[in-house]
Amino acid sequence: MLLNPRTRPRRAARRRKGALLAAAVSVCLLSASAPAAPLGVGDRLFPYLGNPGYDVASYDVDLTYPGSNDKPLKAVTTINAWTTTALDRLNLDFAHGTVKSVEVDGRPAGFARAGDDLVITPDRPLPQGSWLRITVRHTSDPMPAKDRDGGWVRTKDGLAMANQADAAHLVFPCNDHPSDKAMFTFRITAPNDYTAVANGLSTGVDRVGPSTTWTYRTQHPMATELAQVSIGRSTVLRRTGPHGLPVRDVVPTADRKALEPWLAKTPDQIAWMEGKVGPYPFETYGVLMAQAATGFELETQTLSLFEKELFTEPAYPKWYVESVMVHELSHQWFGNSVSPRTWSDLWLNEGHATWYEALYAEEKADRPMVDRIKAAYEASDRWRASGGPPAAPKPPNRGQKIGIFRPNVYDGAVLVLYALRQEIGQSAFERLERAWVQTHRDATATTADFERLAAAVAGRDLGGFFKGWLYGEKTPPMPGHSDWKSAPPEEKAGKSPAKGVQGSSAKEPAASSAKEGAAPPAHGAVG
């Protein structure tokens, strides 16, 4: 059933964000005379991302592509939201474009920059619980922002997006934190020889003179980090997935025949995932193969981003490529439908996606998961020392938000899931997985939510188990494998990750063995 953003999902979102926003709301009650200042929702890793005082219901992002990927796009972003407290002004995240004008409820509003924030002052105060519409006319710059990760990706023939972690505000004004999911509409105008594709389903294609406007709309709420717009000389290939699901892939037109054998695998991969965790959660799915060197793949909602080279480089074994495809597909359940409430909950995204990546390789390519788990266990203490425990990752370096995508939230988190399966049994673990994505579908969830659900499914307290596995400085003993040892960090310092651990460290080089006894090609990683 499709969910109306003005009813249950939005009310639930407001309740779930209450704890995160409570500490930040007080700073939102600024007088109109106070200096503009950056705000945030108090995320432990990114304290100045997101903004308190309102709850976004929908974005309408209108982009005009000039036909060159080194020139700014003209853009209009319209945001519909509710106020959650009385406001004299409000902040949006926006850091890489020129703002032309701002309106609130159709009336001109003042605006100023403050750090990565666009601070807006309406011509009258906004009462708590009021519905408002913010319209920002701006440019969107496709050239890389200095000392910043993410945003537009310049491809050989156009553009795509890679907004993780929280880099959507390098493309359009938004409340750039996964705790505030919303519905999206994209309108992309480009010269007639380009094709534009975005999240969700197409609702119209209008050609006027030398340009065409493509419109796409999501049917489920989405975090800003998962937004995707592809503009290029591309072909859209269509097929049918399980239960009549529309599947559409976006590929460079010149490569469509060479890439088709890979694309044809997607329906069966969706069916495999449905057999593990239940129905696919969105209105469509597909693969976007970009002619770009990103160093990673990315689970943008309903249209996962891949480097074309992953599918054309002969050195990548077939099983490895397919397992990476399943990793990004898994994210549609884990991370996209069920989104992290804070960035410290990232292990829930990446651990689960890496789990099903490894399980697929085990079932389809005879790559035993236990071998990977044991190798990860050997490296785990080093990962915890360098990146923090899975549920308490260390902050990234300044200007490098993707620095949180370390092995501790990939294979380090897979260790937690494997240990949990060992602890509660396979049957209970599989029930937990299905219950997790069903209970929190189209919403956000925390590590504490997962702990509570696991305890309920297992029928016993798991507090001690999770305390050690999620937050401990050292890796606890693995249930059922008392002989496994994790090497001390000092013994591994400066060395490459343990042999046999398949790399899913999203923005770092892959650390897995693509073939027995050898490291995989240095392709980069999965998101």
Side-chain angles (χ1 to χ4, degrees), residues 109-128:
F111 60 91
R113 295 281 194 169
D116 277 8
D117 282 15
L118 174 66
V119 183
I120 299 170
T121 305
D123 67 346
R124 63 192 71 180
L126 302 171
Q128 180 179 354

Side-chain angles (χ1 to χ4, degrees), residues 20 41 43 49-50 166 175-180 224 341-343:
L20 182 65
V41 294
D43 190 289
L49 283 172
D166 280 15
N175 200 29
D176 203 5
H177 193 272
S179 61
D180 195 1
T224 50
R341 189 83 50 79
T342 75
W343 280 106

Side-chain angles (χ1 to χ4, degrees), residues 64-65 188-193 206-214:
T64 300
Y65 181 66
I188 309 106
T189 301
N192 289 334
D193 54 344
D206 300 306
R207 176 170 293 189
V208 178
S211 63
T212 301
T213 298
W214 310 74

Side-chain angles (χ1 to χ4, degrees), residues 408-431:
N408 60 324
V409 298
Y410 286 83
D411 280 88
V414 167
L415 285 175
V416 178
L417 297 177
Y418 184 85
L420 180 60
R421 190 177 71 171
Q422 294 287 99
E423 180 76 13
I424 67 176
Q426 181 170 335
S427 177
F429 179 82
E430 291 175 353
R431 292 198 307 273

Side-chain angles (χ1 to χ4, degrees), residues 87-276:
L87 297 172
D88 290 319
R89 61 171 59 162
L90 58 90
N91 287 30
L92 298 175
D93 298 303
F94 186 52
H96 196 46
T98 300
V99 177
K100 307 289 187 178
S101 67
V102 178
E103 294 178 357
V104 176
D105 294 331
R107 297 185 295 272
F111 60 91
R113 295 281 194 169
D116 277 8
D117 282 15
L118 174 66
V119 183
I120 299 170
T121 305
D123 67 346
R124 63 192 71 180
L126 302 171
Q128 180 179 354
S130 61
W131 176 260
L132 73 150
R133 173 170 291 185
I134 307 161
T135 303
V136 183
R137 290 175 172 81
H138 61 98
T139 62
S140 184
D141 192 345
M143 298 299 289
K146 184 179 179 181
D147 299 326
R148 298 175 188 267
D149 295 316
W152 286 114
V153 172
R154 296 171 65 209
T155 65
K156 184 177 180 180
D157 61 348
L159 294 171
M161 283 187 194
N163 295 329
Q164 198 176 81
D166 280 15
H169 68 283
L170 300 180
V171 178
F172 59 94
C174 56
N175 200 29
D176 203 5
H177 193 272
S179 61
D180 195 1
K181 297 169 72 167
M183 307 295 272
F184 276 78
T185 298
F186 291 97
R187 293 180 179 85
I188 309 106
T189 301
N192 289 334
D193 54 344
Y194 286 85
T195 297
V197 184
N199 311 92
L201 294 172
S202 173
T203 61
V205 180
D206 300 306
R207 176 170 293 189
V208 178
S211 63
T212 301
T213 298
W214 310 74
T215 304
Y216 292 85
R217 184 168 289 120
T218 67
Q219 294 184 3
H220 297 264
M222 180 171 74
T224 50
E225 54 138 345
L226 302 173
Q228 181 58 266
V229 171
S230 166
I231 305 169
R233 291 183 170 86
S234 308
T235 294
V236 180
L237 302 175
R238 304 184 187 279
R239 66 196 80 237
T240 302
H243 322 296
L245 178 75
V247 177
R248 47 88 175 91
D249 302 302
V250 183
V251 300
T253 298
D255 300 304
R256 58 180 297 179
K257 288 185 178 179
L259 297 173
E260 173 60 27
W262 292 110
L263 299 171
K265 298 177 183 296
T266 297
D268 286 344
Q269 292 172 346
I270 296 172
W272 183 85
M273 274 299 302
E274 288 191 334
K276 301 300 180 185

Side-chain angles (χ1 to χ4, degrees), residues 177-415:
H177 193 272
S179 61
D180 195 1
K181 297 169 72 167
M183 307 295 272
F184 276 78
T185 298
F186 291 97
R187 293 180 179 85
I188 309 106
T189 301
N192 289 334
D193 54 344
Y194 286 85
T195 297
V197 184
N199 311 92
L201 294 172
S202 173
T203 61
V205 180
D206 300 306
R207 176 170 293 189
V208 178
S211 63
T212 301
T213 298
W214 310 74
T215 304
Y216 292 85
R217 184 168 289 120
T218 67
Q219 294 184 3
H220 297 264
M222 180 171 74
T224 50
E225 54 138 345
L226 302 173
Q228 181 58 266
V229 171
S230 166
I231 305 169
R233 291 183 170 86
S234 308
T235 294
V236 180
L237 302 175
R238 304 184 187 279
R239 66 196 80 237
T240 302
H243 322 296
L245 178 75
V247 177
R248 47 88 175 91
D249 302 302
V250 183
V251 300
T253 298
D255 300 304
R256 58 180 297 179
K257 288 185 178 179
L259 297 173
E260 173 60 27
W262 292 110
L263 299 171
K265 298 177 183 296
T266 297
D268 286 344
Q269 292 172 346
I270 296 172
W272 183 85
M273 274 299 302
E274 288 191 334
K276 301 300 180 185
V277 296
Y280 178 75
F282 297 122
E283 62 272 21
T284 185
Y285 185 64
V287 168
L288 165 60
M289 296 186 177
Q291 297 184 92
T294 61
F296 55 85
E297 326 305 329
L298 193 61
E299 65 274 14
T300 41
Q301 191 161 310
T302 73
L303 186 62
S304 293
L305 173 67
F306 292 84
E307 290 179 294
K308 190 190 79 170
E309 183 194 41
L310 176 66
F311 303 93
T312 57
E313 170 53 60
Y316 302 141
K318 178 175 175 289
W319 71 266
Y320 172 77
V321 176
E322 291 186 28
S323 67
V324 172
M325 292 176 72
V326 169
H327 180 109
E328 304 308 333
L329 171 63
S330 302
H331 271 306
Q332 304 303 313
W333 285 263
F334 299 95
N336 296 13
S337 179
V338 184
S339 298
R341 189 83 50 79
T342 75
W343 280 106
S344 295
D345 301 311
L346 177 63
W347 78 275
L348 288 165
N349 300 17
E350 300 301 348
H352 278 100
T354 308
W355 175 269
Y356 290 102
E357 167 197 333
L359 187 60
Y360 188 87
E362 178 177 72
E363 293 187 4
K364 301 294 184 178
D366 195 26
R367 308 286 302 187
M369 179 185 281
V370 69
D371 293 347
R372 175 171 179 166
I373 298 297
K374 184 178 181 181
Y377 191 89
E378 293 173 359
S380 179
D381 279 354
R382 177 173 57 85
W383 294 340
R384 288 176 183 244
S386 62
K394 294 181 180 179
N397 293 331
R398 182 177 175 83
Q400 296 180 339
K401 295 190 182 74
I402 60 176
I404 64 172
F405 293 87
R406 305 181 182 102
N408 60 324
V409 298
Y410 286 83
D411 280 88
V414 167
L415 285 175

